[in-house]
Amino acid sequence: MAKTFELTDERKQQIKTYNEIGWPASLTIPVLELYEQMSISTIRKHFLSRPDAPYIKFDERGGVIPRMAWEKFKACISIGRTYEGEI
């Protein structure tokens, strides 16, 4: 069964800190989970599984998502378009 997103006190504090100092320009998967407040499995299933997702894989351990590209990607899929990318 998929792990659900839990908003613990520690996560609330992390979100509050990011809201105060600004979110990073490149989001890792754990930071994206906080940014979207969704579980990683949901993000992977509905967003990152798409071939047009702006995910930059740098090795077998992970990758990053440029925050502005992520926002444009979400806007494109919300209106039924394919994200053309900027990279």
Side-chain angles (χ1 to χ4, degrees):
M1 184 169 202
K3 182 181 175 191
T4 60
F5 180 78
E6 295 179 31
L7 201 53
T8 62
D9 289 338
E10 181 182 341
R11 286 181 173 203
K12 287 178 187 176
Q13 185 59 43
Q14 286 178 313
I15 291 169
K16 182 180 176 188
T17 301
Y18 278 131
N19 284 335
E20 289 174 358
I21 65 171
W23 290 87
S26 295
L27 306 170
T28 61
I29 297 296
V31 174
L32 182 63
E33 181 182 35
L34 289 176
Y35 185 73
E36 290 297 331
Q37 297 185 21
M38 286 186 220
S39 69
I40 291 173
S41 60
T42 301
I43 292 169
R44 287 187 194 279
K45 180 179 178 183
H46 296 289
F47 298 103
L48 296 180
S49 63
R50 293 175 54 108
D52 59 336
Y55 183 68
I56 302 169
K57 186 174 178 133
F58 52 79
D59 64 17
E60 63 278 345
R61 294 180 297 143
V64 295
I65 299 120
R67 187 170 42 89
M68 295 309 293
W70 178 255
E71 290 299 328
K72 290 176 183 178
F73 167 71
K74 288 190 319 178
C76 285
I77 62 173
S78 72
I79 59 171
R81 297 184 74 183
T82 300
Y83 176 69
E84 298 296 327
E86 303 170 30
I87 302 168

